[in-house]
Amino acid sequence: MQDPKSNPAAGANLLFLREAEIRAAQDMLFFAYRDFTNAADVILEELGLGRAHHRVLHFIGRNAGMSVGELLAVLRITKQSLSRVLGALIEEGYVAQAQGRADRRQRLLTLTPKGEELERRLFERQRERIVKAYREAGSTAVEGFRRVMRGIMDEQAHEFVDGADGEPRGVRHGR
Amino acid sequence: MQDPKSNPAAGANLLFLREAEIRAAQDMLFFAYRDFTNAADVILEELGLGRAHHRVLHFIGRNAGMSVGELLAVLRITKQSLSRVLGALIEEGYVAQAQGRADRRQRLLTLTPKGEELERRLFERQRERIVKAYREAGSTAVEGFRRVMRGIMDEQAHEFVDGADGEPRGVRHGR
DNA sequence: GCTTCTACGTCAACATTCCTGCCTTAATTT
DNA sequence: AAATTAAGGCAGGAATGTTGACGTAGAAGC
């Protein structure tokens, strides 16, 4: 590309660059997600579980005591899809259900010790990748990553990321 | 974790490696990917296409003239999985095949004008999200996002992101 | 208290996307 | 000429998702 000052169509050039950047972002989201999720696949396969099971374990671990309805809203799948996967996890003793105190219709979900142990093993694999990326990129880049990722997600999901167990900023979700 | 001052390894700088931060990254990757891909679903559904078709359109558009084998390597799916999706796209006139010049066994894939038009429509939906996120986060954050995302992906994928059509940095992939 | 709504579970049937294993053809490489 | 590679196809099956309908228990409204 030539000197921007000598380019009469500087605007078009900027638009072009912007589009190339956006397309690169598409690529990166695909590859990052592909390789990040793949990191845990070896362990899952040994146990005859799939990625759907991993997602359920992850989110119950992240938000212990969540209801089935909340889990459905986070995963954005139907009750029927969840039931197969969740049923298997309960059957095999990874997840426990408890009747809600305030609302006894609810089934509050938690990981059993066995479930926590598996979730941790899966987490460690993915953790390696994130830690490597974070360390190489540095804290400023990590803050930028966080800001952009939040911008890509639906607003609704911000609440979940902030309010999940682990309390990133010492504040529990207000609602 | 204990008092950062008592940590000889400059702990304060590495706070972004705490477990809570890594878990938040897991969440964000899930939500960002979920909502980003979802952006194009309305259009796809109208045409009776799925996300697999979108991915194929995207990558052929990104790398016009790529071979079937290259596409398989990028998507990391089997020939059989691709053949159904790719076959449909060719059948409906979104994608064209041409015999390779150097290697006539290869089928080089390109988007037809119809395919380009659809890819652009799908792109525009996703573009909105990225542009919004980039704008809100600022250029420093975007650079950080890029660095972290690259760190999460397999090395192998860097080449593709850099070398895809659109020439982000005016350099065609050397190999 | 009775009716209505809600949370959850389940059955049946099906769509999409992915997989493995095996075989064929044509073209390139050795 | 023989081996390898690129692409395609067939048979069969697994994982994950969907819709629609129905039942039960508990909460909420009148």
PDB file of all heavy atoms in Angstrom, chain D residues 3-14:
ATOM      1  P    DA D   3       3.681 -51.354  -5.535  1.00  0.00           P
ATOM      2  OP1  DA D   3       4.325 -52.209  -4.521  1.00  0.00           O
ATOM      3  OP2  DA D   3       2.328 -51.673  -6.035  1.00  0.00           O
ATOM      4  O5'  DA D   3       3.688 -49.863  -4.971  1.00  0.00           O
ATOM      5  C5'  DA D   3       4.955 -49.229  -4.689  1.00  0.00           C
ATOM      6  C4'  DA D   3       4.710 -47.802  -4.255  1.00  0.00           C
ATOM      7  O4'  DA D   3       4.274 -47.018  -5.390  1.00  0.00           O
ATOM      8  C3'  DA D   3       3.646 -47.631  -3.166  1.00  0.00           C
ATOM      9  O3'  DA D   3       4.137 -46.742  -2.183  1.00  0.00           O
ATOM     10  C2'  DA D   3       2.441 -47.084  -3.921  1.00  0.00           C
ATOM     11  C1'  DA D   3       3.095 -46.303  -5.061  1.00  0.00           C
ATOM     12  N9   DA D   3       2.286 -46.226  -6.274  1.00  0.00           N
ATOM     13  C8   DA D   3       1.624 -47.247  -6.905  1.00  0.00           C
ATOM     14  N7   DA D   3       0.987 -46.878  -7.983  1.00  0.00           N
ATOM     15  C5   DA D   3       1.251 -45.517  -8.079  1.00  0.00           C
ATOM     16  C6   DA D   3       0.865 -44.537  -9.010  1.00  0.00           C
ATOM     17  N6   DA D   3       0.098 -44.808 -10.079  1.00  0.00           N
ATOM     18  N1   DA D   3       1.293 -43.277  -8.803  1.00  0.00           N
ATOM     19  C2   DA D   3       2.057 -43.016  -7.741  1.00  0.00           C
ATOM     20  N3   DA D   3       2.492 -43.861  -6.800  1.00  0.00           N
ATOM     21  C4   DA D   3       2.048 -45.103  -7.031  1.00  0.00           C
ATOM     22  P    DT D   4       3.252 -46.372  -0.890  1.00  0.00           P
ATOM     23  OP1  DT D   4       4.159 -46.237   0.264  1.00  0.00           O
ATOM     24  OP2  DT D   4       2.082 -47.272  -0.843  1.00  0.00           O
ATOM     25  O5'  DT D   4       2.744 -44.917  -1.279  1.00  0.00           O
ATOM     26  C5'  DT D   4       3.713 -43.946  -1.697  1.00  0.00           C
ATOM     27  C4'  DT D   4       3.004 -42.688  -2.141  1.00  0.00           C
ATOM     28  O4'  DT D   4       2.321 -42.916  -3.395  1.00  0.00           O
ATOM     29  C3'  DT D   4       1.938 -42.194  -1.151  1.00  0.00           C
ATOM     30  O3'  DT D   4       2.243 -40.843  -0.848  1.00  0.00           O
ATOM     31  C2'  DT D   4       0.622 -42.367  -1.912  1.00  0.00           C
ATOM     32  C1'  DT D   4       1.073 -42.259  -3.366  1.00  0.00           C
ATOM     33  N1   DT D   4       0.211 -42.928  -4.383  1.00  0.00           N
ATOM     34  C2   DT D   4      -0.211 -42.206  -5.473  1.00  0.00           C
ATOM     35  O2   DT D   4       0.067 -41.039  -5.651  1.00  0.00           O
ATOM     36  N3   DT D   4      -0.988 -42.901  -6.374  1.00  0.00           N
ATOM     37  C4   DT D   4      -1.362 -44.228  -6.292  1.00  0.00           C
ATOM     38  O4   DT D   4      -2.047 -44.751  -7.159  1.00  0.00           O
ATOM     39  C5   DT D   4      -0.886 -44.937  -5.117  1.00  0.00           C
ATOM     40  C7   DT D   4      -1.252 -46.376  -4.925  1.00  0.00           C
ATOM     41  C6   DT D   4      -0.127 -44.255  -4.227  1.00  0.00           C
ATOM     42  P    DT D   5       1.380 -40.049   0.241  1.00  0.00           P
ATOM     43  OP1  DT D   5       2.287 -39.115   0.929  1.00  0.00           O
ATOM     44  OP2  DT D   5       0.547 -41.015   0.984  1.00  0.00           O
ATOM     45  O5'  DT D   5       0.423 -39.199  -0.706  1.00  0.00           O
ATOM     46  C5'  DT D   5       1.002 -38.371  -1.692  1.00  0.00           C
ATOM     47  C4'  DT D   5      -0.087 -37.661  -2.458  1.00  0.00           C
ATOM     48  O4'  DT D   5      -0.726 -38.577  -3.368  1.00  0.00           O
ATOM     49  C3'  DT D   5      -1.201 -37.105  -1.568  1.00  0.00           C
ATOM     50  O3'  DT D   5      -1.437 -35.768  -1.963  1.00  0.00           O
ATOM     51  C2'  DT D   5      -2.392 -38.022  -1.849  1.00  0.00           C
ATOM     52  C1'  DT D   5      -2.119 -38.430  -3.283  1.00  0.00           C
ATOM     53  N1   DT D   5      -2.698 -39.732  -3.732  1.00  0.00           N
ATOM     54  C2   DT D   5      -3.316 -39.782  -4.955  1.00  0.00           C
ATOM     55  O2   DT D   5      -3.425 -38.828  -5.684  1.00  0.00           O
ATOM     56  N3   DT D   5      -3.804 -41.021  -5.299  1.00  0.00           N
ATOM     57  C4   DT D   5      -3.734 -42.182  -4.557  1.00  0.00           C
ATOM     58  O4   DT D   5      -4.211 -43.218  -4.971  1.00  0.00           O
ATOM     59  C5   DT D   5      -3.082 -42.051  -3.281  1.00  0.00           C
ATOM     60  C7   DT D   5      -2.963 -43.256  -2.395  1.00  0.00           C
ATOM     61  C6   DT D   5      -2.594 -40.847  -2.932  1.00  0.00           C
ATOM     62  P    DA D   6      -2.509 -34.897  -1.217  1.00  0.00           P
ATOM     63  OP1  DA D   6      -1.951 -33.542  -1.091  1.00  0.00           O
ATOM     64  OP2  DA D   6      -2.997 -35.628  -0.036  1.00  0.00           O
ATOM     65  O5'  DA D   6      -3.690 -34.860  -2.280  1.00  0.00           O
ATOM     66  C5'  DA D   6      -3.545 -34.117  -3.488  1.00  0.00           C
ATOM     67  C4'  DA D   6      -4.905 -33.956  -4.137  1.00  0.00           C
ATOM     68  O4'  DA D   6      -5.325 -35.245  -4.632  1.00  0.00           O
ATOM     69  C3'  DA D   6      -5.998 -33.488  -3.177  1.00  0.00           C
ATOM     70  O3'  DA D   6      -6.756 -32.483  -3.820  1.00  0.00           O
ATOM     71  C2'  DA D   6      -6.797 -34.749  -2.866  1.00  0.00           C
ATOM     72  C1'  DA D   6      -6.577 -35.608  -4.108  1.00  0.00           C
ATOM     73  N9   DA D   6      -6.502 -37.041  -3.823  1.00  0.00           N
ATOM     74  C8   DA D   6      -5.878 -37.644  -2.757  1.00  0.00           C
ATOM     75  N7   DA D   6      -5.965 -38.955  -2.763  1.00  0.00           N
ATOM     76  C5   DA D   6      -6.694 -39.237  -3.906  1.00  0.00           C
ATOM     77  C6   DA D   6      -7.123 -40.447  -4.475  1.00  0.00           C
ATOM     78  N6   DA D   6      -6.866 -41.648  -3.952  1.00  0.00           N
ATOM     79  N1   DA D   6      -7.833 -40.381  -5.620  1.00  0.00           N
ATOM     80  C2   DA D   6      -8.087 -39.179  -6.145  1.00  0.00           C
ATOM     81  N3   DA D   6      -7.731 -37.968  -5.702  1.00  0.00           N
ATOM     82  C4   DA D   6      -7.031 -38.077  -4.562  1.00  0.00           C
ATOM     83  P    DA D   7      -7.979 -31.811  -3.065  1.00  0.00           P
ATOM     84  OP1  DA D   7      -8.184 -30.495  -3.696  1.00  0.00           O
ATOM     85  OP2  DA D   7      -7.765 -31.924  -1.610  1.00  0.00           O
ATOM     86  O5'  DA D   7      -9.182 -32.752  -3.504  1.00  0.00           O
ATOM     87  C5'  DA D   7      -9.471 -32.879  -4.905  1.00  0.00           C
ATOM     88  C4'  DA D   7     -10.514 -33.950  -5.129  1.00  0.00           C
ATOM     89  O4'  DA D   7      -9.984 -35.227  -4.770  1.00  0.00           O
ATOM     90  C3'  DA D   7     -11.784 -33.776  -4.307  1.00  0.00           C
ATOM     91  O3'  DA D   7     -12.817 -33.386  -5.193  1.00  0.00           O
ATOM     92  C2'  DA D   7     -12.030 -35.155  -3.691  1.00  0.00           C
ATOM     93  C1'  DA D   7     -11.074 -36.049  -4.462  1.00  0.00           C
ATOM     94  N9   DA D   7     -10.579 -37.189  -3.692  1.00  0.00           N
ATOM     95  C8   DA D   7      -9.848 -37.157  -2.529  1.00  0.00           C
ATOM     96  N7   DA D   7      -9.543 -38.350  -2.069  1.00  0.00           N
ATOM     97  C5   DA D   7     -10.117 -39.214  -2.979  1.00  0.00           C
ATOM     98  C6   DA D   7     -10.158 -40.625  -3.056  1.00  0.00           C
ATOM     99  N6   DA D   7      -9.584 -41.420  -2.164  1.00  0.00           N
ATOM    100  N1   DA D   7     -10.814 -41.168  -4.107  1.00  0.00           N
ATOM    101  C2   DA D   7     -11.385 -40.359  -5.003  1.00  0.00           C
ATOM    102  N3   DA D   7     -11.414 -39.031  -5.041  1.00  0.00           N
ATOM    103  C4   DA D   7     -10.753 -38.517  -3.989  1.00  0.00           C
ATOM    104  P    DG D   8     -14.287 -33.092  -4.628  1.00  0.00           P
ATOM    105  OP1  DG D   8     -14.919 -32.195  -5.610  1.00  0.00           O
ATOM    106  OP2  DG D   8     -14.187 -32.722  -3.208  1.00  0.00           O
ATOM    107  O5'  DG D   8     -15.012 -34.509  -4.701  1.00  0.00           O
ATOM    108  C5'  DG D   8     -15.148 -35.150  -5.955  1.00  0.00           C
ATOM    109  C4'  DG D   8     -15.710 -36.529  -5.740  1.00  0.00           C
ATOM    110  O4'  DG D   8     -14.726 -37.335  -5.057  1.00  0.00           O
ATOM    111  C3'  DG D   8     -16.945 -36.555  -4.848  1.00  0.00           C
ATOM    112  O3'  DG D   8     -18.063 -36.921  -5.634  1.00  0.00           O
ATOM    113  C2'  DG D   8     -16.638 -37.595  -3.772  1.00  0.00           C
ATOM    114  C1'  DG D   8     -15.419 -38.310  -4.322  1.00  0.00           C
ATOM    115  N9   DG D   8     -14.560 -38.820  -3.273  1.00  0.00           N
ATOM    116  C8   DG D   8     -13.868 -38.097  -2.335  1.00  0.00           C
ATOM    117  N7   DG D   8     -13.180 -38.848  -1.506  1.00  0.00           N
ATOM    118  C5   DG D   8     -13.451 -40.141  -1.921  1.00  0.00           C
ATOM    119  C6   DG D   8     -12.999 -41.372  -1.406  1.00  0.00           C
ATOM    120  O6   DG D   8     -12.244 -41.582  -0.454  1.00  0.00           O
ATOM    121  N1   DG D   8     -13.516 -42.456  -2.120  1.00  0.00           N
ATOM    122  C2   DG D   8     -14.353 -42.352  -3.199  1.00  0.00           C
ATOM    123  N2   DG D   8     -14.754 -43.489  -3.748  1.00  0.00           N
ATOM    124  N3   DG D   8     -14.784 -41.204  -3.693  1.00  0.00           N
ATOM    125  C4   DG D   8     -14.296 -40.139  -3.002  1.00  0.00           C
ATOM    126  P    DG D   9     -19.527 -37.035  -4.949  1.00  0.00           P
ATOM    127  OP1  DG D   9     -20.492 -36.716  -6.012  1.00  0.00           O
ATOM    128  OP2  DG D   9     -19.524 -36.297  -3.663  1.00  0.00           O
ATOM    129  O5'  DG D   9     -19.658 -38.590  -4.587  1.00  0.00           O
ATOM    130  C5'  DG D   9     -19.217 -39.569  -5.528  1.00  0.00           C
ATOM    131  C4'  DG D   9     -19.464 -40.936  -4.932  1.00  0.00           C
ATOM    132  O4'  DG D   9     -18.338 -41.290  -4.093  1.00  0.00           O
ATOM    133  C3'  DG D   9     -20.705 -40.981  -4.043  1.00  0.00           C
ATOM    134  O3'  DG D   9     -21.538 -42.057  -4.438  1.00  0.00           O
ATOM    135  C2'  DG D   9     -20.158 -41.186  -2.637  1.00  0.00           C
ATOM    136  C1'  DG D   9     -18.805 -41.822  -2.875  1.00  0.00           C
ATOM    137  N9   DG D   9     -17.835 -41.495  -1.842  1.00  0.00           N
ATOM    138  C8   DG D   9     -17.447 -40.239  -1.422  1.00  0.00           C
ATOM    139  N7   DG D   9     -16.565 -40.271  -0.462  1.00  0.00           N
ATOM    140  C5   DG D   9     -16.357 -41.617  -0.225  1.00  0.00           C
ATOM    141  C6   DG D   9     -15.511 -42.269   0.714  1.00  0.00           C
ATOM    142  O6   DG D   9     -14.750 -41.769   1.546  1.00  0.00           O
ATOM    143  N1   DG D   9     -15.617 -43.653   0.613  1.00  0.00           N
ATOM    144  C2   DG D   9     -16.423 -44.319  -0.275  1.00  0.00           C
ATOM    145  N2   DG D   9     -16.388 -45.647  -0.219  1.00  0.00           N
ATOM    146  N3   DG D   9     -17.218 -43.729  -1.156  1.00  0.00           N
ATOM    147  C4   DG D   9     -17.134 -42.383  -1.070  1.00  0.00           C
ATOM    148  P    DC D  10     -23.017 -42.184  -3.818  1.00  0.00           P
ATOM    149  OP1  DC D  10     -23.906 -42.501  -4.945  1.00  0.00           O
ATOM    150  OP2  DC D  10     -23.291 -41.013  -2.955  1.00  0.00           O
ATOM    151  O5'  DC D  10     -22.894 -43.464  -2.890  1.00  0.00           O
ATOM    152  C5'  DC D  10     -22.304 -44.659  -3.414  1.00  0.00           C
ATOM    153  C4'  DC D  10     -22.219 -45.698  -2.313  1.00  0.00           C
ATOM    154  O4'  DC D  10     -21.051 -45.443  -1.506  1.00  0.00           O
ATOM    155  C3'  DC D  10     -23.427 -45.657  -1.366  1.00  0.00           C
ATOM    156  O3'  DC D  10     -23.954 -46.972  -1.193  1.00  0.00           O
ATOM    157  C2'  DC D  10     -22.873 -45.096  -0.069  1.00  0.00           C
ATOM    158  C1'  DC D  10     -21.403 -45.477  -0.137  1.00  0.00           C
ATOM    159  N1   DC D  10     -20.525 -44.515   0.579  1.00  0.00           N
ATOM    160  C2   DC D  10     -19.602 -44.976   1.523  1.00  0.00           C
ATOM    161  O2   DC D  10     -19.516 -46.186   1.740  1.00  0.00           O
ATOM    162  N3   DC D  10     -18.822 -44.080   2.169  1.00  0.00           N
ATOM    163  C4   DC D  10     -18.926 -42.792   1.908  1.00  0.00           C
ATOM    164  N4   DC D  10     -18.140 -41.942   2.564  1.00  0.00           N
ATOM    165  C5   DC D  10     -19.867 -42.292   0.947  1.00  0.00           C
ATOM    166  C6   DC D  10     -20.640 -43.180   0.323  1.00  0.00           C
ATOM    167  P    DA D  11     -25.359 -47.183  -0.447  1.00  0.00           P
ATOM    168  OP1  DA D  11     -26.105 -48.234  -1.165  1.00  0.00           O
ATOM    169  OP2  DA D  11     -25.974 -45.863  -0.198  1.00  0.00           O
ATOM    170  O5'  DA D  11     -24.873 -47.772   0.957  1.00  0.00           O
ATOM    171  C5'  DA D  11     -23.832 -48.756   0.988  1.00  0.00           C
ATOM    172  C4'  DA D  11     -23.577 -49.147   2.421  1.00  0.00           C
ATOM    173  O4'  DA D  11     -22.572 -48.269   2.991  1.00  0.00           O
ATOM    174  C3'  DA D  11     -24.813 -49.017   3.314  1.00  0.00           C
ATOM    175  O3'  DA D  11     -24.889 -50.127   4.194  1.00  0.00           O
ATOM    176  C2'  DA D  11     -24.587 -47.702   4.055  1.00  0.00           C
ATOM    177  C1'  DA D  11     -23.058 -47.673   4.173  1.00  0.00           C
ATOM    178  N9   DA D  11     -22.503 -46.322   4.257  1.00  0.00           N
ATOM    179  C8   DA D  11     -22.870 -45.209   3.551  1.00  0.00           C
ATOM    180  N7   DA D  11     -22.188 -44.127   3.840  1.00  0.00           N
ATOM    181  C5   DA D  11     -21.293 -44.563   4.811  1.00  0.00           C
ATOM    182  C6   DA D  11     -20.293 -43.901   5.522  1.00  0.00           C
ATOM    183  N6   DA D  11     -20.007 -42.610   5.375  1.00  0.00           N
ATOM    184  N1   DA D  11     -19.584 -44.623   6.423  1.00  0.00           N
ATOM    185  C2   DA D  11     -19.868 -45.928   6.578  1.00  0.00           C
ATOM    186  N3   DA D  11     -20.792 -46.657   5.954  1.00  0.00           N
ATOM    187  C4   DA D  11     -21.472 -45.913   5.076  1.00  0.00           C
ATOM    188  P    DG D  12     -26.166 -50.310   5.149  1.00  0.00           P
ATOM    189  OP1  DG D  12     -26.366 -51.755   5.329  1.00  0.00           O
ATOM    190  OP2  DG D  12     -27.263 -49.453   4.655  1.00  0.00           O
ATOM    191  O5'  DG D  12     -25.637 -49.713   6.524  1.00  0.00           O
ATOM    192  C5'  DG D  12     -24.382 -50.165   7.037  1.00  0.00           C
ATOM    193  C4'  DG D  12     -24.022 -49.339   8.242  1.00  0.00           C
ATOM    194  O4'  DG D  12     -23.489 -48.068   7.824  1.00  0.00           O
ATOM    195  C3'  DG D  12     -25.218 -49.034   9.154  1.00  0.00           C
ATOM    196  O3'  DG D  12     -24.867 -49.379  10.469  1.00  0.00           O
ATOM    197  C2'  DG D  12     -25.415 -47.532   8.977  1.00  0.00           C
ATOM    198  C1'  DG D  12     -23.988 -47.081   8.699  1.00  0.00           C
ATOM    199  N9   DG D  12     -23.849 -45.762   8.086  1.00  0.00           N
ATOM    200  C8   DG D  12     -24.598 -45.213   7.067  1.00  0.00           C
ATOM    201  N7   DG D  12     -24.236 -43.993   6.762  1.00  0.00           N
ATOM    202  C5   DG D  12     -23.189 -43.726   7.636  1.00  0.00           C
ATOM    203  C6   DG D  12     -22.400 -42.559   7.793  1.00  0.00           C
ATOM    204  O6   DG D  12     -22.458 -41.501   7.161  1.00  0.00           O
ATOM    205  N1   DG D  12     -21.445 -42.719   8.800  1.00  0.00           N
ATOM    206  C2   DG D  12     -21.285 -43.838   9.553  1.00  0.00           C
ATOM    207  N2   DG D  12     -20.330 -43.815  10.480  1.00  0.00           N
ATOM    208  N3   DG D  12     -22.021 -44.941   9.424  1.00  0.00           N
ATOM    209  C4   DG D  12     -22.949 -44.803   8.451  1.00  0.00           C
ATOM    210  P    DG D  13     -25.960 -49.408  11.648  1.00  0.00           P
ATOM    211  OP1  DG D  13     -25.923 -50.741  12.267  1.00  0.00           O
ATOM    212  OP2  DG D  13     -27.236 -48.834  11.142  1.00  0.00           O
ATOM    213  O5'  DG D  13     -25.328 -48.370  12.668  1.00  0.00           O
ATOM    214  C5'  DG D  13     -23.894 -48.288  12.775  1.00  0.00           C
ATOM    215  C4'  DG D  13     -23.524 -46.963  13.387  1.00  0.00           C
ATOM    216  O4'  DG D  13     -23.488 -45.930  12.374  1.00  0.00           O
ATOM    217  C3'  DG D  13     -24.500 -46.474  14.463  1.00  0.00           C
ATOM    218  O3'  DG D  13     -23.748 -46.086  15.577  1.00  0.00           O
ATOM    219  C2'  DG D  13     -25.176 -45.276  13.807  1.00  0.00           C
ATOM    220  C1'  DG D  13     -24.021 -44.763  12.973  1.00  0.00           C
ATOM    221  N9   DG D  13     -24.387 -43.812  11.927  1.00  0.00           N
ATOM    222  C8   DG D  13     -25.345 -43.950  10.947  1.00  0.00           C
ATOM    223  N7   DG D  13     -25.444 -42.898  10.172  1.00  0.00           N
ATOM    224  C5   DG D  13     -24.507 -42.007  10.688  1.00  0.00           C
ATOM    225  C6   DG D  13     -24.159 -40.706  10.273  1.00  0.00           C
ATOM    226  O6   DG D  13     -24.636 -40.051   9.338  1.00  0.00           O
ATOM    227  N1   DG D  13     -23.158 -40.166  11.067  1.00  0.00           N
ATOM    228  C2   DG D  13     -22.561 -40.797  12.125  1.00  0.00           C
ATOM    229  N2   DG D  13     -21.621 -40.122  12.783  1.00  0.00           N
ATOM    230  N3   DG D  13     -22.870 -42.024  12.526  1.00  0.00           N
ATOM    231  C4   DG D  13     -23.847 -42.571  11.768  1.00  0.00           C
ATOM    232  P    DA D  14     -24.380 -46.095  17.020  1.00  0.00           P
ATOM    233  OP1  DA D  14     -23.849 -47.255  17.757  1.00  0.00           O
ATOM    234  OP2  DA D  14     -25.841 -45.866  16.919  1.00  0.00           O
ATOM    235  O5'  DA D  14     -23.725 -44.778  17.615  1.00  0.00           O
ATOM    236  C5'  DA D  14     -22.334 -44.539  17.435  1.00  0.00           C
ATOM    237  C4'  DA D  14     -22.073 -43.073  17.719  1.00  0.00           C
ATOM    238  O4'  DA D  14     -22.449 -42.297  16.566  1.00  0.00           O
ATOM    239  C3'  DA D  14     -22.873 -42.532  18.899  1.00  0.00           C
ATOM    240  O3'  DA D  14     -22.009 -41.776  19.713  1.00  0.00           O
ATOM    241  C2'  DA D  14     -23.956 -41.679  18.254  1.00  0.00           C
ATOM    242  C1'  DA D  14     -23.276 -41.215  16.971  1.00  0.00           C
ATOM    243  N9   DA D  14     -24.191 -40.940  15.860  1.00  0.00           N
ATOM    244  C8   DA D  14     -25.126 -41.781  15.320  1.00  0.00           C
ATOM    245  N7   DA D  14     -25.786 -41.262  14.314  1.00  0.00           N
ATOM    246  C5   DA D  14     -25.253 -40.002  14.186  1.00  0.00           C
ATOM    247  C6   DA D  14     -25.525 -38.941  13.293  1.00  0.00           C
ATOM    248  N6   DA D  14     -26.455 -39.012  12.339  1.00  0.00           N
ATOM    249  N1   DA D  14     -24.816 -37.810  13.434  1.00  0.00           N
ATOM    250  C2   DA D  14     -23.883 -37.748  14.396  1.00  0.00           C
ATOM    251  N3   DA D  14     -23.535 -38.664  15.289  1.00  0.00           N
ATOM    252  C4   DA D  14     -24.270 -39.784  15.123  1.00  0.00           C
TER     253       DA D  14
END
